[in-house]
Amino acid sequence: FAFVLPVMLLVLCGMANTVQGVMAARKVRLLTSTLADLTARAQSVSPNDVTDIFSAAEAVLMPYDAAKAAMVITSVVIEANGVARVCWSAASSSGAALKRGASVVLPDSIKVPGTSVIMARASYDYRPFVTSLPVVDYVVPAVIKLGDEPVYTRPRGGIAAGTGNIEQVLKTDVNPCPNY
């Protein structure tokens, strides 16, 4: 019993950490999809609307701490020549917005000239609970970054605007694209 108990406790803690990590990763994927979906439904968004979208999406992350999540919503316009550029980007307090007019690499299946897409990205710094034990600290990293993979959604209620008359979700404090 003295030899088996430590091994069994280690296996139990490892399984519990794995399950918690998988659940957190699932919540981050759902958070990213929610960001893209809520933004793609709108014709236009104001800075207050974007803040509300971030707040609503944070509710999806419950019971995990939303302060550890970095969220970014970006409207990307694909010009007639096939170049994808950032029209506008907004980030939560811990995220980093992309620069307007910056080139973005999109999958070929998304890159349709003369269209736009909402790109959402979220990540979460997950800390496994067993890392508080000094012995486990050597095996398990203290913080694991979950998510940080983009989700793409076409605007469903967008407005045709800009020089290319491209349907897009407008941001009220930014000119429509492709006017960079």
Side-chain angles (χ1 to χ4, degrees):
F1 181 75
F3 290 117
V4 174
L5 181 63
V7 173
M8 293 303 288
L9 287 176
L10 187 62
V11 168
L12 178 66
C13 287
M15 285 177 29
N17 267 317
T18 301
V19 168
Q20 286 292 322
V22 168
M23 286 176 25
R26 190 180 132 267
K27 289 281 193 172
V28 172
R29 282 192 300 273
L30 187 58
L31 167 70
T32 309
S33 296
T34 302
L35 287 171
D37 186 50
L38 290 175
T39 307
R41 290 175 183 235
Q43 286 186 336
S44 65
V45 291
S46 67
N48 289 336
D49 293 335
V50 172
T51 302
D52 291 344
I53 290 170
F54 286 138
S55 297
E58 284 176 358
V60 171
L61 202 53
M62 295 291 274
Y64 299 100
D65 183 12
K68 295 179 184 176
M71 300 177 278
V72 180
I73 303 169
T74 306
S75 175
V76 178
V77 171
I78 301 102
E79 299 170 349
N81 60 3
V83 176
R85 296 193 185 276
V86 173
C87 183
W88 59 264
S89 186
S92 65
S93 58
S94 56
L98 300 176
K99 185 179 176 190
R100 181 176 168 90
S103 181
V104 178
V105 177
L106 297 176
D108 289 337
S109 60
I110 302 292
K111 205 180 211 181
V112 178
T115 63
S116 72
V117 67
I118 296 296
M119 179 177 71
R121 186 183 294 262
S123 64
Y124 182 79
D125 292 335
Y126 174 70
R127 189 179 196 302
F129 66 86
V130 295
T131 56
S132 57
L133 303 172
V135 176
V136 181
D137 228 4
Y138 294 106
V139 179
V140 179
V143 175
I144 300 170
K145 188 176 195 120
L146 300 176
D148 207 26
E149 295 184 14
V151 170
Y152 305 99
T153 306
R154 296 272 178 211
R156 292 191 290 277
I159 299 171
T163 55
N165 212 23
I166 297 172
E167 182 181 1
Q168 56 193 290
V169 175
L170 301 178
K171 192 158 184 253
T172 57
D173 60 341
V174 177
N175 290 330
C177 291
N179 298 336
Y180 306 107

